[in-house]
Amino acid sequence: MELHDVWFVLIAVLWIGYFFLEGFDFGVGILTKLLARDRPEKRVLINTIGPVWDGNEVWLLTAGGATFAAFPEWYATLFSGFYLPLLIILVCLIIRGVAFEYRAKRPEENWQRNWEQAIFWTSLIPAILWGVAFGNIVRGVKIDAEMEYVGSFWDLLNPYALLGGLVTLTLFTFHGAVFVALKTVGDIRGRARALALKVGLVTAVAALGFLIWTQVDTGDGWSLAAMLVAVVALVGAIGAIKVGREGWSFALSGVTIAAAVAMLFLALFPNVMPSSLNPEWSLTVTNASSSPYTLKIMTWCAAIATPLVLLYQSWTYWVFRKRIGTHHIADAH
């Protein structure tokens, strides 16, 4: 296997990690409006991801940096062609981070309510746009012979990509609801399980349609295997939450995300960004990659740094592993 193939796999792993981790905290952010009934319950939901949300975003920074260094042509075409949706995602992530930090800085009702609204919308919008973006990457976009995107923003809003946005929205919401059920006690835990079951059924329908569409259009035997794993894991996650096994459900919903993202990358390979105008103009792992020397240096750096990051982030989750409830919120006593 060539180094550019290795880095394609590593970037896929980084996106799997990002969607697994950021997926549930996007879901929790969405649930602050759908699940929480009062201010203490909103604080409980936010506190479940308070210690980890910023660490989860490191996976996005790493995936973007790895793409820039390993596949500069892919990075350039992607970020210029998808400029508006990626800018919207970036702005949402900035506002979201500020909202988490500033929400509790003042006690006024309007102040906290406005920041909570910001958390909801800046979780909802990226949850949709990531699915739209990856749907277009797999489907193919208008790339010319100069590796430049020549389409418009409206070309990105096609039925396949919009279905992808619906899948990521519902899947992340389901993942977040299961996480809330896993991390809370009391009435909110029961309602999170009930909501997860409902959202899970919607997710199953949307995801099955999207994955079958992907398989028919660009899939092969490997992507079919990943699709079957994703479908079985999602069914298992729904069944586990129905019988109150939140831990198993969360693990299986994570497997669903991992297998679904793996399927997209398997369906994409060896392309990194197909051209819908002419297959010969597609960006591939070969024509979009950096030099072998650059990839070699990157591989050594990743081999040293990645285990350290994984150890630190695992330790963070271990420290904050206990369940919480409204009785832990001081104002609720």
Side-chain angles (χ1 to χ4, degrees), residues 87-325:
L87 176 62
I88 293 172
I89 290 173
L90 177 61
V91 171
C92 284
L93 294 180
I94 293 172
I95 295 174
R96 190 168 181 265
V98 173
F100 281 129
E101 297 296 334
Y102 274 71
R103 181 190 59 85
K105 296 296 184 183
R106 289 169 55 178
E108 290 87 346
E109 179 79 13
N110 287 341
W111 173 272
Q112 295 193 4
R113 183 171 59 247
N114 289 339
W115 285 120
E116 287 163 0
Q117 289 279 359
I119 291 172
F120 170 76
W121 288 108
T122 56
S123 299
L124 177 76
I125 294 170
I128 298 171
L129 290 182
W130 279 127
V132 173
F134 270 84
N136 278 290
I137 291 173
V138 175
R139 172 179 175 268
V141 291
K142 295 179 179 178
I143 299 174
D144 64 14
E146 303 299 322
M147 297 185 179
E148 296 288 341
Y149 177 73
V150 293
S152 67
F153 170 75
W154 303 109
D155 291 326
L156 303 178
L157 303 180
N158 54 80
Y160 176 77
L162 292 175
L163 179 58
L166 176 63
V167 171
T168 50
L169 173 62
T170 55
L171 183 56
F172 290 169
T173 305
F174 172 71
H175 197 40
V178 173
F179 180 77
V180 170
L182 180 64
K183 288 287 292 179
T184 58
V185 295
D187 181 56
I188 193 170
R189 177 187 177 189
R191 284 188 281 115
R193 284 164 49 184
L195 182 60
L197 184 59
K198 295 176 183 177
V199 176
L201 296 175
V202 177
T203 303
V205 174
L208 186 61
F210 179 74
L211 295 178
I212 291 175
W213 193 341
T214 303
Q215 179 63 28
V216 170
D217 273 0
T218 58
D220 57 15
W222 289 105
S223 63
L224 177 61
M227 184 190 82
L228 294 176
V229 171
V231 171
V232 171
L234 181 56
V235 172
I238 295 170
I241 198 65
K242 184 176 181 180
V243 297
R245 301 299 297 271
E246 296 101 339
W248 279 104
S249 182
F250 183 71
L252 288 170
S253 66
V255 171
T256 302
I257 292 173
V261 176
M263 180 195 176
L264 295 182
F265 276 90
L266 287 167
L268 190 59
F269 186 81
N271 295 321
V272 295
M273 209 167 176
S275 172
S276 60
L277 299 178
N278 187 337
E280 295 182 358
W281 296 344
S282 298
L283 277 68
T284 68
V285 293
T286 304
N287 65 20
S289 69
S290 294
S291 67
Y293 181 74
T294 300
L295 296 177
K296 185 177 180 179
I297 297 298
M298 290 175 60
T299 303
W300 279 108
C301 293
I304 296 170
T306 303
L308 298 176
V309 174
L310 292 175
L311 285 172
Y312 173 76
Q313 195 160 23
S314 299
W315 176 78
T316 302
Y317 277 91
W318 174 256
V319 170
F320 296 101
R321 66 189 182 277
K322 292 184 178 180
R323 295 178 182 267
I324 61 174

